Amino acid sequence: MLSTKLLAKIDEIAKLEENWNGYGSMPISNNVIRNLKTVLDCLPFEPNLFPTGRNSVQMEYFANIDKDGVEIEIFNDFASYDLIRNGDYIIEDETITIEDAVALLLDFYYR
């Protein structure tokens, strides 16, 4: 179950209007929000969330302060991820399914 804090952040992102970032960005689509909630419902932790100008939401989870982490960007019908080890990006912008995004986050969290 999603926390009140996380639900408020999702609601804030869902309410962003056109040009919310000052660079002509579009609002985050309902499908992205739905996919985001699908992923978050499966996690035992709360990643940081950030809307992007690419009509997506980025989720970040770091196992230790900025050294080992995973960033997942949720889109309408897919996700992409970056993997960070010892502060260096070892995988960047790799496309995966929404289901694989859940598996990747869980695997990283429980390792």
Side-chain angles (χ1 to χ4, degrees), residues 64-84:
N64 48 45
I65 300 175
D66 295 333
K67 293 287 184 188
D68 296 323
V70 63
E71 298 172 350
I72 303 234
E73 198 168 345
I74 304 294
F75 292 90
N76 275 319
D77 54 358
F78 68 95
S80 68
Y81 77 97
D82 300 331
L83 193 59
I84 301 101

Side-chain angles (χ1 to χ4, degrees), residues 9-87:
K9 180 66 176 180
I10 295 167
D11 190 48
E12 175 186 315
I13 292 170
K15 289 180 180 177
L16 292 173
E17 297 181 359
E18 188 173 334
N19 198 36
W20 59 267
N21 67 353
Y23 295 100
S25 62
M26 299 304 294
I28 304 298
S29 74
N30 290 336
N31 201 45
V32 169
I33 298 299
R34 194 170 23 260
N35 286 338
L36 178 64
K37 287 180 178 178
T38 296
V39 172
L40 291 171
D41 277 337
C42 298
L43 303 179
F45 62 93
E46 295 187 359
N48 294 316
L49 302 178
F50 307 96
T52 78
R54 301 181 344 155
N55 191 26
S56 64
V57 176
Q58 181 172 313
M59 305 166 56
E60 294 181 353
Y61 174 75
F62 283 87
N64 48 45
I65 300 175
D66 295 333
K67 293 287 184 188
D68 296 323
V70 63
E71 298 172 350
I72 303 234
E73 198 168 345
I74 304 294
F75 292 90
N76 275 319
D77 54 358
F78 68 95
S80 68
Y81 77 97
D82 300 331
L83 193 59
I84 301 101
R85 292 276 192 239
N86 296 317

